[in-house]
Amino acid sequence: MNFDALPLEDPAAQARLHARLVADAEREGLLDLAYRTVDTPVGSLLLAATPVGLVRVVYENVGHDAELTRLTETVSPRVLHAPARLDTVAWQLDEYFAGRRTAFDVPLDLRLARGFRLAVVEHLPAIQYGRTETYAQVAAAAGSPKAVRAVGTACATNPVPVVVPCHRVVRSDGSFGGYAGGRDAKRTLLTLEAA
Amino acid sequence: MDRYGAMVLRVCRAVLGPTDAEDAWSETFLAALKAYPGLPEDANVEAWLVTIAHRKALDVWRADRRRPVAVAEVPDRGRADEWHGDLWAALARLPHKQRLAVAYHHLAGLPYAEIAAITGGTTDAARRAAADGMKRLRTLYTEEETA
């Protein structure tokens, strides 16, 4: 006698219960962090949002699971897979990658960027679609012309890449420079925007 | 959170039957979401969730006792009843303490000391209840299968 006969999973019931939990948690203000993934030409992106707005976009090479665990520590352990809160940004990403959108219009929660890094991240949306700025230009725009290396760090740690366009910051010799999603991803985005 | 959903559902179904299990599951996870930020890092999450589920089950049993007319248990939603119904039916016929001990030990995987802390009583009593429950379940299950 054992319980092997009882299946470990009941996907239909679990999906139904999960949807009910998301709705209950949302209603009671307990859904601190909603997440989903979207498939894009630069790979699967993990999107996470607080009630304030989009808080994190994560490339696959960073590790979705590892980053979710970090978010439970830095933002809140009240995390649920809840795609609805991220429908708007997912839909705008689709349009962007299809070449039909040049700017994102979603609320952002930039709590994961602080100090000078936040100043850089707040400046980045001013770089127009299809244009680029050098790290030195961004440093000047963020109020610290000498902080060129710090701009590199701020771009590399941009919590919401793609949506906040750190990929539009390049080296002064015209080469792409590094990128959170890898150099190939940066090339893909800049090529898409140049078309 | 997502990791423990299936385990808690099995436990709720074993302890409450398919009809009340889904409400208990929902209330358990909502309560867990509320309390989660206060949970110590080294806490045993399974035991903690089963403790909450146990309290929700107690609420259901208390409400049942207050119901004026006893209602026959009719599974009315989902396909939980098709989910190896014989074994669930056999579980439902166990004495209360045995049913809990079997569910918490064999489905949730909790050690007897944790079960004793949740249900009250001693570790030995929890171990005996699980053993007696399994023995009785074996008899009941065989009856149902051959019936």
Side-chain angles (χ1 to χ4, degrees):
Chain A
M1 173 81 215
N2 59 49
F3 290 95
D4 293 347
L6 298 181
L8 282 172
E9 304 279 338
D10 183 345
Q14 282 166 244
R16 182 170 65 237
L17 287 167
H18 186 91
R20 180 173 161 189
L21 178 63
V22 168
D24 288 348
E26 191 83 80
R27 194 184 55 243
E28 300 212 12
L30 293 171
L31 187 46
D32 294 345
L33 205 56
Y35 73 91
R36 67 170 289 175
T37 55
V38 288
D39 288 323
T40 75
V42 289
S44 171
L45 296 177
L46 172 71
L47 312 175
T50 66
V52 175
L54 184 69
V55 73
R56 196 76 177 88
V57 174
V58 188
Y59 276 97
E60 222 166 358
N61 62 332
V62 178
H64 288 176
D65 287 347
E67 185 57 28
L68 264 182
T69 305
R70 275 187 32 159
L71 287 171
T72 64
E73 289 155 8
T74 53
V75 177
S76 168
R78 289 167 177 158
V79 181
L80 288 177
H81 181 255
R85 189 185 282 175
L86 294 144
D87 274 354
T88 305
V89 66
W91 167 66
Q92 292 190 9
L93 281 165
D94 269 354
E95 291 187 326
Y96 169 79
F97 283 109
R100 295 198 309 271
R101 171 173 288 276
T102 58
F104 290 92
D105 182 19
V106 290
L108 299 176
D109 181 342
L110 295 177
R111 73 174 76 184
L112 296 174
R114 294 216 170 81
F116 182 66
R117 291 183 189 180
L118 178 61
V120 171
V121 168
E122 284 178 328
H123 164 71
L124 294 175
I127 312 174
Q128 295 291 306
Y129 183 92
R131 303 287 188 81
T132 58
E133 279 185 13
T134 64
Y135 290 98
Q137 284 172 316
V138 174
S144 303
K146 288 183 180 162
V148 179
R149 287 181 66 90
V151 168
T153 309
C155 287
T157 57
N158 170 16
V160 281
V162 186
V163 174
V164 166
C166 57
H167 58 275
R168 290 178 199 151
V169 185
V170 297
R171 295 162 64 113
S172 50
D173 64 7
S175 65
F176 286 156
Y179 185 54
R183 278 159 203 269
D184 286 347
K186 191 168 189 171
R187 185 179 306 115
T188 303
L189 296 179
L190 290 175
T191 308
L192 165 81
E193 295 188 8
Chain B
M1 280 279 168
D2 293 337
R3 207 175 303 163
Y4 303 103
M7 180 276 283
V8 174
L9 183 58
R10 274 157 64 94
V11 169
C12 287
R13 283 175 172 175
V15 168
L16 286 169
T19 313
D20 291 319
E22 298 202 2
D23 287 338
W25 188 98
S26 297
E27 286 171 25
T28 297
F29 274 92
L30 202 60
L33 270 185
K34 271 181 202 153
Y36 203 14
L39 186 70
E41 250 176 56
D42 57 351
N44 177 343
V45 179
E46 281 97 337
W48 178 65
L49 285 171
V50 172
T51 305
I52 301 174
H54 178 74
R55 287 194 209 115
K56 299 299 173 192
L58 287 181
D59 291 346
V60 173
W61 291 318
R62 278 193 207 107
D64 271 352
R65 270 210 299 269
R66 281 198 298 269
R67 272 178 210 161
V69 185
V71 203
E73 194 168 307
V74 184
D76 61 358
R77 71 167 99 152
R79 39 179 281 279
D81 48 332
E82 298 157 25
W83 207 47
H84 222 277
D86 290 350
L87 195 42
W88 297 116
L91 269 167
R93 289 173 59 192
L94 290 185
H96 200 64
K97 283 213 158 151
Q98 295 180 9
R99 188 177 182 183
L100 293 181
V102 166
Y104 297 166
H105 185 69
H106 293 279
L107 294 180
L110 299 188
Y112 294 115
E114 296 271 11
I115 296 170
I118 292 169
T119 60
T122 64
T123 304
D124 276 342
R127 184 182 293 115
R128 263 198 314 278
D132 292 347
M134 288 303 280
K135 204 190 285 176
R136 183 144 173 71
L137 203 53
R138 223 165 270 142
T139 319
L140 289 170
Y141 190 45
T142 322
E143 274 173 20
E144 303 233 352
E145 273 202 324
T146 50

